[in-house]
Amino acid sequence: MSDRLATSIGDMRLRNPVICASGEPVMTEAGIRAALHAGAAGVIAKSVNERAEAAAQLDRADYVELDAAGVPAAHGVSLFNRSGLAQRDAAEWFTALAAIDREAADDGRFVAASIVLAGVDGAEMLGRIARRAGLRVFELNVGAPHASEATPGAIVQETDPARLAELVARVRATTEGMQLWVKLTGLSSNLPALAVAARQGGADAACMMGRFMAMVPDLDTFGPVLGTSAAYGGGWALPIVCRFLALSRRAVGAGFPLLGTNGVRSGGDVARMALAGASATELCSVVMHEGFGGLTRVIAELDALLTARGVRFTELVGRAADALHGYGEQAVVPGRWRDFVPPETIA
Ligand SMILES: Cc1cc2nc3c(=O)[nH]c(=O)nc-3n(C[C@H](O)[C@H](O)[C@H](O)COP(=O)(O)O)c2cc1C
C-alpha cells in the first residue's frame, strides 16, 4: 500500500484512515493484534469505566443482524445490539494495551484506551491511569447509546456543550502529552456545538457519531427483537453522519480534526466520510459481520478508489462539506415536484 492512504490527526500521522473501533472484537489482546495485523492504522480498544454495573451489563448483552428490511437475518446489513463494557480492571487493561501500543508504534500504528463516560471524577482518574500506563491516545466516549437503558449512572451521555467543554478540560489536564479524542453521541442534533465544546475543552479531535437507539417489532413473535430497545447501526447511517461531519467542520473550522464512525462498510464509504470532513474513520460492524479481514478489504478498496481517481486520501478531506449549500442558494425550478408524483396527481 502506498503513501496515498496516509492521513493525520493533528500531529499524529496514520498509515491509513481505517481504525478498528471500540467494540467486542477488540476486547482481548488477541483481537487487537488481529485488527493491527489486518492493516488497521490503529485500534480503539474496548471501553471500560469505573462503574462495575457498566461491566456487569456485558453479561446481558445480545446481538442480531438485520437485513435491509430490518428483519433478523443470518447475514444482515445492520447490527442491532445491547452491549456492556469490558470486564477488565482499568489499570491492568491499560497496561496491557500500552504494551501492544509500543509494539504497534514501531510499525506506525497505535492502540488507544477508550472509556465510556460515567462521571467526571472517574474520567479524570481513568485518564491519569492511561497516561501513567504510557498510552498515546485516549478516547473519551460521552455518547454511548445505551445510557438510557443501563443502570442509572453507569453510562452517562453528555449533550450539553458547556458541561462537555468543562469535562474535556478536566480530562485534558490528566492526559497531557496524549492525543485526546472525544466521541460524540448520535442521539442529539447539536453535534456541531458539541464538537466546538470538545475543541474548547482542549481535545485533539472529535469523533462522530454514536449509533442510534431503536426498537424492532418482530412480525413472528409480535414482540420486540432482543426484548429491549438497543443500539442500531448500518450502512444507511452514513449519509446522516456525513451531514453532521460537514456541519461540524463548518462550526469548528477545517483545522480541527474530525473522525467519522457509524456506517462505514466499504472503501467508498471511507472516502465519503472524508469528503464530509473526516480525517479518519472508526469501523466496528464490518468486523462483527465479516471478521478482521473486513478491514483489509476496506483498505484495499480505498486504495483502488484513490488510485483510479489519481488522488491522495488527504485531498478528499472536507471537499464535499465545503461545497455544501443552503436551500435558498439553489436555482428556482417551478413545477419540479411534478416529476416525482403519480400521474393522477396532476391529471
Ligand atoms: C457490539 C458493539 C459494541 C460497541 N462497544 C463500544 C464501546 O465499548 N465503546 C465505544 O466507544 N463504542 C462502542 N461501539 C461503537 C463502535 O465503536 C462504532 O462507533 C459504531 O459501531 C459505529 O461504527 P460501525 O458502523 O462501523 O459499527 C460498539 C459497537 C458495537 C456494534
Side-chain angles (χ1 to χ4, degrees), residues 19-25 27 44-48 62-63 79-86 114-116 139-142 144-146 183 207-211 231 233-235 237 260-265 273 282-289:
I19 296 168
C20 186
S22 183
E24 275 74 325
M27 192 152 58
I44 315 290
K46 176 68 185 178
S47 306
V48 291
D62 202 359
Y63 315 79
L79 191 57
F80 179 66
N81 74 282
R82 52 177 185 267
S83 186
L85 300 189
S114 163
I115 70 159
V116 164
E139 187 167 274
L140 168 65
N141 184 346
V142 301
H146 311 283
K183 190 173 186 183
C207 175
M208 63 186 66
M209 52 202 272
R211 295 182 304 150
T261 191
N262 193 353
V264 175
R265 302 290 180 269
M273 286 270 196
E282 296 185 6
L283 288 67
C284 178
S285 296
V286 152
V287 179
M288 306 267 303
H289 288 308

Side-chain angles (χ1 to χ4, degrees), residues 138-181:
F138 188 73
E139 187 167 274
L140 168 65
N141 184 346
V142 301
H146 311 283
S148 59
E149 296 290 328
T151 307
I155 291 178
V156 169
Q157 198 173 287
E158 187 51 85
T159 55
D160 177 73
R163 275 202 309 265
L164 180 64
E166 166 71 20
L167 165 71
V168 174
R170 285 183 56 183
V171 175
R172 172 77 284 173
T174 68
T175 54
E176 208 185 307
M178 299 175 72
Q179 283 274 328
L180 173 60
W181 301 352

